[in-house]
């Protein structure tokens, strides 16, 4: 009898375990996220910075995202953004120029540059099939400067190489195949992802390469050049899982095939510009504020936030009487670096004399994004801003000023600063005392990097901190801000 009762319970329990649970309704939010990001209450001594308003700055992020979407909707549905040399570039340069003029900056103008031939993918499609089954890999995004296919496309056997470690590649024939690898390097958009997997696969004769970026969802992600000589793409996780399953299920039979078509124009004779504006000060010394104007997709964080921060700083300091501004502030909306040419940056690098009396150079780049948490196979939104990587190149005094400003406005940072400045300022960081913060999150360079993930509180915090850094630096002589030893050419 006892054993019968036990059996009964065991069966019932087994049934419980197997009964599929009805999907639960998601919980209803108890607050409006946009209004409920964790903020910072200003001390009486910092009230002067309260006029820097996060919601006001966020409108500038929205404006720039709208420029990107206009370009997309005007006949560029796949490769879009505020891309150098395009009408979106010209429109955002005009937009910034108008902002500078409205604020009342002096010497507002565009400095034009001739771009080298620009890689402009016109259209592409990727689909996989085996037997009657077809899979459109809609999230495929060609890595920057990847070569095109012949006009009719290519039809290749598909192979899945897992994480593409040496061990997983050993003994596998990749010649002439479309090779898919999986990467949990969530933040990489580079040739270096998964310790150089692109190269390992390319060296073994692959005819096309796909990275499946393990960020939940099916996001489109724009990679920088990955150094391969065959068409190379990133793929969203949903598409990536589907193609891996298709390859796995076909084992023992004919392998799935991938049809890839990618048309690219190399477009000569395009132009871009640096947008200049100056707020004259009481001496011949200056502070230089840069923000790169280009970006992929809506580019809300990269670099909508940086440009918004720069405009916010111009607005703040324009309200202070000239005789109270020790140094001129020069604002530069640079052409950017996503296309690799970095023409504004190159010009600055070649004009070291421009920085001869620069007390501080601030690069405004990816200044605020929401902390997204990757948990249990999905991405959860939060009501806080991410911690930022940061760089300070200057005297100990400059370091103190920067840290104090972060502390005053609740700017969360990585525990240790970076050795060099990543991004736009990397080329000329050593030409003056310099500093920056940068965020690169899960959605960086993707079609999910929208204004929705930009917290106004984060924009306010960093812009206030930069304003305080400028104000505090203006109480210090130039020589006391510079790096201790003459460090041109050193690592810092
Ligand atoms: Zn950037």
């Amino acid at each position: 009898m006892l054993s019968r009762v036990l059996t009964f319970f065991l069966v019932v329990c087994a049934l419980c375990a197997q009964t599929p649970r009805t999907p639960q309704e998601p919980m209803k939010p108890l607050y409006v996220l946009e209004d409920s990001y964790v903020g910072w209450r200003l001390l009486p001594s910092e009230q002067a910075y309260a006029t820097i308003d996060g919601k006001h700055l966020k409108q500038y992020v929205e404006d720039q995202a709208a420029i990107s979407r206009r370009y997309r909707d005007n006949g560029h549905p796949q490769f879009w953004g505020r891309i150098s040399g395009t009408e979106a570039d010209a429109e955002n340069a005009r937009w910034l120029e108008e902002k500078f003029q409205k604020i009342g900056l002096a010497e507002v103008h565009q400095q034009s540059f001739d771009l080298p031939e620009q890689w402009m993918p016109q259209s592409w499609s990727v689909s996989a099939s085996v037997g009657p089954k077809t899979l459109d890999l809609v999230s495929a995004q060609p890595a920057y400067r990847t070569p095109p296919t012949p006009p009719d496309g290519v039809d290749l056997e598909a192979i899945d190489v897992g994480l593409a470690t040496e061990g997983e590649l050993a003994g596998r024939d990749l010649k002439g195949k479309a090779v898919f690898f999986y990467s949990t390097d969530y933040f990489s958009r580079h040739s270096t992802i998964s310790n150089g997997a692109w190269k390992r696969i390319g060296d073994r004769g692959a005819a096309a390469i796909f990275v499946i970026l393990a960020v939940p969802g099916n996001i489109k992600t724009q990679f920088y050049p990955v150094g391969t000589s065959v068409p190379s793409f990133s793929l969203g996780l949903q598409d990536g899982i589907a193609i891996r399953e298709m390859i796995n299920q076909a084992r023992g039979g004919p392998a799935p095939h991938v049809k890839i078509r990618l048309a690219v124009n190399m477009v000569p004779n395009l132009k871009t510009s640096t947008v200049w504006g100056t707020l004259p000060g009481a001496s011949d010394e200056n502070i230089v504020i840069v923000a790169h104007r280009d970006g992929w997709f809506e580019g809300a964080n990269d670099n909508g936030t940086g440009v918004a921060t720069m405009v916010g700083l111009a607005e703040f300091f324009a309200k202070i009487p000239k005789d109270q501004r020790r140094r001129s502030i020069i604002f530069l909306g640079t052409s950017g670096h996503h296309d690799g040419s970095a023409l504004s940056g190159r010009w600055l690098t070649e004009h070291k004399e421009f920085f001869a009396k620069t007390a501080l150079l601030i690069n405004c780049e990816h200044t605020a994004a929401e902390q997204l948490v990757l948990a249990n196979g999905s991405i959860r939104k939060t009501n806080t801003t991410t911690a930022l990587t940061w760089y300070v190149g200057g005297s100990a005094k400059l370091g103190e000023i920067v840290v104090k400003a972060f502390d005053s406005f609740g700017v969360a940072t990585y525990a240790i600063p970076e050795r060099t400045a990543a991004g736009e300022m990397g080329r000329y960081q050593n030409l003056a005392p310099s500093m920056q913060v940068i965020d690169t999150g899960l959605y960086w360079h993707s079609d999910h990097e929208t204004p929705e993930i930009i917290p106004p509180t984060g924009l306010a915090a960093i812009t206030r901190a930069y304003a305080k850094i400028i104000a505090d630096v203006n109480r210090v002589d130039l020589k006391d801000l510079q790096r201790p030893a003459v460090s041109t050419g050193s690592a810092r």
Side-chain angles (χ1 to χ4, degrees), residues 20-54:
R21 292 193 186 156
T22 48
Q24 286 181 330
E25 282 277 302
M27 292 291 286
K28 297 264 182 299
L30 294 181
Y31 55 62
V32 176
L33 180 57
E34 185 71 7
D35 299 328
S36 307
Y37 287 104
V38 173
W40 199 255
R41 291 188 183 90
L42 297 185
L43 290 172
S45 58
E46 313 299 359
Q47 282 300 327
Y49 299 98
T51 56
I52 296 176
D53 177 68

Side-chain angles (χ1 to χ4, degrees), residues 129-132 156-158 245-257:
S129 61
V130 63
L156 309 168
E157 185 183 323
E245 275 177 9
M246 184 183 255
I247 294 168
N248 185 42
Q249 282 166 5
R251 264 194 227 195
H257 270 237

Side-chain angles (χ1 to χ4, degrees), residues 224 292 294 301-303 337-338 365-366 423-424 438 444-445:
Y224 285 121
H292 75 81
D294 65 332
N301 189 26
D302 178 2
N303 193 25
H337 52 263
H338 287 97
E365 187 160 356
H366 321 177
E424 179 70 13
I438 290 196
W444 180 44
H445 283 186

